């Protein structure tokens, strides 16, 4: 197996090494704009025209979540058409192979395309890729697949499997099922009984638009090579590849599992073969545990933690950055990873409190972007947006220093010259939501500050680098999995030589005397 990424000792500087490794101070942008369409529609997540079509998640929380019923109908349709009933893809990969994981990709703008050159370079010899959550923004529309899936990944010469995120469900998974499962739309069901919760939900529900079939067919030609083809058996699936089983689950609109999928997950996760879970909603994120309930009882994390099932990692999208929590479970380490930095706007990391969860401390925790870089990034965004650059904009050195002070942690990157933390720096950091140590929560309750943080909390894209995007490469052998997080900033240096922001080797072990269960 050829490793397309350089060794640790020879790799380019990362954001943990130097400010330049984070993309600060570099003047030469990458070549990613050459890959983009001439006209790009920029998404604004404060625009009502974006928010109104994406209303189904709110409606599901108010009037009941219909995704379990829809998912069951989709599974029945695919099984009747010849898909394997156990939803397992059985590949012929050797015992040593590599694959990619990239999450929350499809906004179709500069931040997504800025990931592509590094992704292609690192992934050139990999067997396949998994898209983890939210393939297409804002509502998973079929007509958006051309510029947000087929075009950016047209030069990736291997299959791409995917699990949907909540945004893909905003049009009832219509586009996702067409593209990844080659499934026609479901037949229309009878209208619900009037004056019921289901009836009221149906009145407000956003439904799939009419598909431009010619447009979709032309887009699909961009990934029509035989080596790129893969038809998966549904929105959730398992892949047997080399010595591991990769299991992808669909957490729908509200981040939960329906009873039918829960029964399937319990079945396919049996046995000692090492397993990796890919899920739309991460189980550990932002210093908190979200075990993912299963309808009827139990949680997804109950299964991940069960030593008899031998999960070694659980990777989730949905949150648009990178995080890793190495959790000790019954004497072994399970790595819980957030990998949602594939293209959508960057979720802040400077708002993450000092980590202390499930025995994982700040020394064990890893994230990208680093908290200081996240704060500097967003101080620039809001300085421009509010036309208050002189007040809000913090240098990377100021942002790194104030984060270390507020959280009481060592800077993840060695500080340069001493930085003077003025009242302006501290106030700007507080207004932008920078977390504080739990033992220093007493502070002046300023109504203006609280209102500002609620109204202007980080959550919008920026269209000039550095972008702080990321993706994963997993190198599998019978002995171990080497997991690496690579960064993509949109700068030429990182495009030519993608930095490794995090790396861990996960041993693969099986109880003595066991045999494969499948």
């Amino acid at each position: 197996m050829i490793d397309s990424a350089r060794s640790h000792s020879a790799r380019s500087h990362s954001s943990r090494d130097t400010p330049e490794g984070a993309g600060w101070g570099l003047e030469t942008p990458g070549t990613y704009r050459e890959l983009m369409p001439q006209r790009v529609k920029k998404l604004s997540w404060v625009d009502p025209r974006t928010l109104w079509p994406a209303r189904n998640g709110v409606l599901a929380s108010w009037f009941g979540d219909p995704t379990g019923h829809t998912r069951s109908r989709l599974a029945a349709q695919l099984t009747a058409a010849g898909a394997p009933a156990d939803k397992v893809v059985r590949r012929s990969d050797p015992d040593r192979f590599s694959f990619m994981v990239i999450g929350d990709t499809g906004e179709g703008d500069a931040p997504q395309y800025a990931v592509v050159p590094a992704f292609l370079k690192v992934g050139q010899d990999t067997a396949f890729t998994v898209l983890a959550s939210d393939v297409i923004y804002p509502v998973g529309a079929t007509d958006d697949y051309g510029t947000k899936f087929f075009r950016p990944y047209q030069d990736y010469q291997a299959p791409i499997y995917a699990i949907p995120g909540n945004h893909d469900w905003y049009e009832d998974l219509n586009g996702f099922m067409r593209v990844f499962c080659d499934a026609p739309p479901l037949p229309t069901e009878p209208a619900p009984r009037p004056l019921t919760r289901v009836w009221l939900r149906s009145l407000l529900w956003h439904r799939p638009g009419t598909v431009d079939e010619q447009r979709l067919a032309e887009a699909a030609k961009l990934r029509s090579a035989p080596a790129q083809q893969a038809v998966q058996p549904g929105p959730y699936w398992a892949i047997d590849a080399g010595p591991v089983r990769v299991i992808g689950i669909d957490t729908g609109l509200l981040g939960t599992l329906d009873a039918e999928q829960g029964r399937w997950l319990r079945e396919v996760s049996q046995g000692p073969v090492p397993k990796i879970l890919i899920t739309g909603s991460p189980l550990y994120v932002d210093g908190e545990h979200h075990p993912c309930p299963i309808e009827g009882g139990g949680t997804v994390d109950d299964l991940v933690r069960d030593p008899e099932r031998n999960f070694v990692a659980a990777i989730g999208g949905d949150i648009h950055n990178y995080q890793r929590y190495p959790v000790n479970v019954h004497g072994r380490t399970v790595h819980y990873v957030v990998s949602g930095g594939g293209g959508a706007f960057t979720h802040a990391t400077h708002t993450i409190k000092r980590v202390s969860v499930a025995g994982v401390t700040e020394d064990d925790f890893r994230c990208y972007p680093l908290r200081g870089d996240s704060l500097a990034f967003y101080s620039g965004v809001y300085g421009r947006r509010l036309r208050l650059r002189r007040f809000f904009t913090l240098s990377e050195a100021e942002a790194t220093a104030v984060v270390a002070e507020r959280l009481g942690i060592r800077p993840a990157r060695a500080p340069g010259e001493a930085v003077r933390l003025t009242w302006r720096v501290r106030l700007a950091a507080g207004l932008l939501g920078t977390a504080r140590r739990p033992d220093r929560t007493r502070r002046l309750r300023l109504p203006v500050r609280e209102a500002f943080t609620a109204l202007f909390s980080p959550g919008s894209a920026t269209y000039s680098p550095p972008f702080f995007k990321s993706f994963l490469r997993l190198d599998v052998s019978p002995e171990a999995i080497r997991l690496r997080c690579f960064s993509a900033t949109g700068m030429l240096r990182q495009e030519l030589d993608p930095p490794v922001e995090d790396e861990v080797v996960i041993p693969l072990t099986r109880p003595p005397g066991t045999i494969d269960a499948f």
Side-chain angles (χ1 to χ4, degrees):
M1 178 178 64
I2 300 172
D3 188 350
S4 64
R6 296 193 299 173
S7 68
H8 179 88
S9 59
R11 74 188 187 199
S12 61
H13 285 168
S14 73
S15 68
R16 290 183 171 269
D17 301 317
T18 65
E20 292 77 17
W24 300 119
L26 301 180
E27 297 181 355
T28 307
T31 62
Y32 62 92
R33 289 194 176 275
E34 299 173 6
L35 308 175
M36 298 173 61
Q38 290 185 346
R39 308 184 81 177
V40 175
K41 182 180 180 181
K42 297 179 180 180
L43 283 179
S44 171
W45 292 103
V46 296
D47 187 336
R49 292 172 297 180
T50 300
L51 296 176
W52 177 242
R55 62 189 178 271
N56 286 0
V58 175
L59 295 175
S61 66
W62 288 352
F63 303 114
D65 185 1
T67 55
H69 174 68
T70 303
R71 190 184 294 113
S72 180
R73 294 179 65 212
L74 291 169
Q77 180 191 60
L78 287 170
T79 301
D86 61 3
K87 300 174 180 58
V88 177
V89 177
R90 293 174 172 85
R91 294 177 51 88
S92 58
D93 300 295
D95 281 350
R96 298 178 186 274
F97 76 100
S98 302
F99 70 99
M100 308 287 282
V101 176
I102 182 169
D104 298 84
T105 53
E107 287 196 4
D109 50 20
Q112 178 180 9
Y113 278 86
V115 181
V116 173
F119 172 82
L120 294 175
K121 186 176 183 66
V122 173
Q124 61 185 329
D125 63 326
T126 53
F128 59 88
T129 284
V130 176
L131 294 185
S133 181
D134 290 337
V135 180
I136 302 294
Y137 291 95
V139 295
T142 308
D143 287 349
D144 284 342
Y145 270 83
T147 57
K148 299 178 182 181
F149 173 71
F150 289 110
R151 184 183 181 112
Y153 310 117
Q154 61 183 309
D155 293 327
Y156 179 69
Q157 298 299 316
I160 296 178
Y161 304 94
I163 56 169
N166 57 311
H167 286 265
D168 300 304
W169 269 101
Y170 290 159
E171 287 204 349
D172 292 338
L173 222 59
N174 191 56
F176 182 97
M177 296 300 295
R178 287 287 303 276
V179 171
F180 292 104
C181 305
D182 195 24
L186 288 172
T188 302
E189 289 192 300
R193 186 162 52 91
L195 303 179
T196 61
R197 293 176 68 196
V198 175
W199 173 78
L200 185 57
R201 183 185 66 204
S202 69
L203 293 180
L204 300 172
W205 198 254
H206 175 76
R207 302 187 184 283
T210 303
V211 176
D212 186 332
E213 297 292 346
Q214 182 177 355
R215 180 178 177 180
L216 179 61
E218 287 297 317
K221 291 179 182 179
L222 297 175
R223 282 191 50 82
S224 59
Q228 296 173 315
Q229 302 312 298
V231 177
Q232 62 188 54
Y236 59 95
W237 40 258
I239 298 174
D240 287 345
V244 300
R245 170 168 277 191
V246 183
I247 300 175
I249 59 173
D250 169 17
T251 53
L253 284 170
L254 302 181
T256 61
L257 251 63
D258 60 282
E260 181 178 316
Q261 187 179 179
R263 289 191 294 271
W264 170 86
L265 178 60
R266 290 185 175 97
E267 180 67 27
V268 298
S269 63
Q270 291 179 0
V273 171
K275 300 173 188 71
I276 301 166
L277 181 71
I278 311 289
T279 173
S281 299
L283 303 181
Y284 283 86
V285 60
D286 294 346
E288 298 175 349
H289 183 209
H290 298 272
C292 188
I294 300 174
E295 182 184 9
T299 70
V300 170
D301 201 31
D302 291 339
L303 303 178
V304 172
R305 297 173 68 90
D306 182 353
E308 297 300 319
R309 298 179 188 274
N310 202 13
F311 280 94
V312 297
I315 303 171
D318 189 53
I319 302 302
H320 308 163
N321 54 43
Y322 171 81
Q323 301 173 44
R324 180 170 63 84
Y325 301 81
V327 177
N328 186 297
V329 180
H330 306 301
R332 64 194 183 94
T333 300
V334 178
H335 291 269
Y336 293 85
V337 176
V338 178
S339 182
F345 69 86
T346 300
H347 276 129
T349 58
H350 65 269
T351 57
I352 301 174
K353 61 188 178 182
R354 183 170 175 169
V355 172
S356 179
V357 60
V360 178
T361 67
E362 193 65 38
D363 290 338
D364 309 313
F365 171 68
R366 293 290 181 271
C367 68
Y368 177 80
L370 301 179
R371 287 186 178 95
D373 291 330
S374 170
L375 178 58
F377 173 89
Y378 272 105
S379 74
V381 170
Y382 285 100
R384 292 190 297 272
R385 175 172 297 174
L386 301 176
R387 299 185 179 182
L388 293 171
R389 297 191 187 195
R390 293 185 63 182
F391 174 75
F392 274 109
T393 303
L394 306 178
S395 69
E396 59 81 20
E398 290 173 329
T400 297
V402 75
V403 165
E405 178 188 78
R406 288 176 67 90
L407 286 175
I409 61 176
R410 295 189 305 271
R413 181 168 59 237
E417 298 181 2
V419 175
R420 179 169 171 261
L421 294 182
T422 65
W423 71 268
R424 178 193 70 85
V425 172
R426 292 188 173 98
L427 181 57
L431 289 172
L432 289 168
T434 307
R436 292 179 66 92
R437 288 171 55 177
D439 59 349
R440 295 178 61 188
T441 55
R442 289 191 303 121
R443 60 186 184 272
L444 183 63
R445 303 294 294 183
L446 293 175
V448 173
R449 177 196 181 280
E450 301 301 330
F452 185 92
T453 301
L455 184 61
F456 294 105
S457 59
S460 298
T462 183
Y463 295 98
S464 58
F467 293 121
F468 297 107
K469 303 287 94 186
S470 59
F471 56 89
L472 305 182
R473 174 179 168 124
L474 291 88
D475 301 310
V476 181
S477 73
E479 299 80 28
I481 296 173
R482 182 188 185 193
L483 182 152
R484 284 174 289 174
C485 171
F486 289 85
S487 65
T489 64
M491 306 306 295
L492 184 61
R493 183 183 298 183
Q494 278 87 10
E495 193 174 279
L496 295 175
D497 194 2
V500 177
E501 289 294 335
D502 187 33
E503 178 175 351
V504 63
V505 175
I506 306 171
L508 298 184
T509 59
R510 306 187 193 189
T514 58
I515 60 175
D516 289 355
F518 35 81

